[in-house]
Amino acid sequence: GSEMCIRDSFFDYYGKNEIDFSVRRTTSSVGGLNFQMIACHVKDDQVVEDISHSIAIDEVAFSVIERVLLERKPYAHWGETLITFDAFDLKVIELKYFIQDIKYDCVIDVCAKELKANKEKYEKPIVYMVNEIVEFILSCKELGYDLIKISGI
């Protein structure tokens, strides 16, 4: 019935059968339809990336949590966004609240439909993704980084 139609529209749009919530450790720049979170230092008022300490997330999966990480609207076309050291703790708290009450929503309509139609299937992968991002933010803090740069499409 209608569930099949929802799946088809997600597949038609992305060419995938499901949303990929995996978090990949990366040591080089990642292109394509991905978001990359990169640990950075500030030296002489310049942002210096440490690409060896970074993670990458599929853009569809990232869109589920981007409202938590980005304060401004619209949410589309990120470019680069910096999360400062001062905001690390707040982002961790906001992400932990998010997984207590997952909204199964997304800024991409076909993604939102897929999530709502398959909540049980996606709950654990979303929690896993968020926990991996929290772990990354905390590791950046622990290792003395000043910023996290989020590069997206």
Side-chain angles (χ1 to χ4, degrees):
S2 63
E3 187 177 329
M4 204 55 207
C5 180
I6 290 169
R7 278 233 173 98
D8 288 345
S9 66
F10 181 79
F11 179 79
D12 291 345
Y13 198 78
Y14 285 102
K16 303 176 190 176
N17 288 318
E18 61 185 23
I19 301 169
D20 176 9
F21 285 99
S22 63
V23 175
R24 300 173 313 281
R25 302 264 173 217
T26 55
T27 56
S28 60
S29 189
V30 176
L33 300 178
N34 292 286
F35 278 79
Q36 188 169 15
M37 299 177 75
I38 306 164
C40 302
H41 290 290
V42 176
K43 289 189 176 126
D44 302 321
D45 293 329
Q46 297 292 314
V47 175
V48 180
E49 294 179 14
D50 181 357
I51 199 77
S52 69
H53 194 66
S54 63
I55 56 174
I57 301 156
D58 178 86
E59 69 134 353
V60 180
F62 190 84
S63 69
V64 173
I65 59 152
E66 72 181 277
R67 288 183 174 114
V68 178
L69 294 173
L70 184 66
E71 279 88 28
R72 64 179 160 74
K73 293 178 184 176
Y75 296 105
H77 306 297
W78 266 64
E80 294 180 351
T81 299
L82 298 176
I83 298 176
T84 62
F85 181 83
D86 295 342
F88 285 7
D89 290 336
L90 180 60
K91 294 304 173 193
V92 166
I93 291 166
E94 289 173 348
L95 285 164
K96 286 182 176 181
Y97 274 123
F98 176 84
I99 59 174
Q100 297 303 314
D101 183 24
I102 299 171
K103 299 291 181 231
Y104 297 98
D105 199 7
C106 160
V107 296
I108 305 166
D109 288 343
V110 291
C111 169
K113 288 177 186 168
E114 171 69 11
L115 284 168
K116 287 181 172 116
N118 298 288
K119 288 180 180 181
E120 296 79 23
K121 173 180 166 181
Y122 289 119
E123 181 180 6
K124 282 183 181 166
I126 290 171
V127 169
Y128 177 80
M129 176 187 73
V130 170
N131 283 333
E132 287 287 300
I133 293 169
V134 164
E135 208 173 281
F136 177 74
I137 293 171
L138 292 174
S139 76
C140 288
K141 182 178 179 179
E142 193 176 297
L143 294 169
Y145 289 100
D146 303 302
L147 303 164
I148 295 172
K149 181 167 93 173
I150 303 175
S151 294
I153 55 168

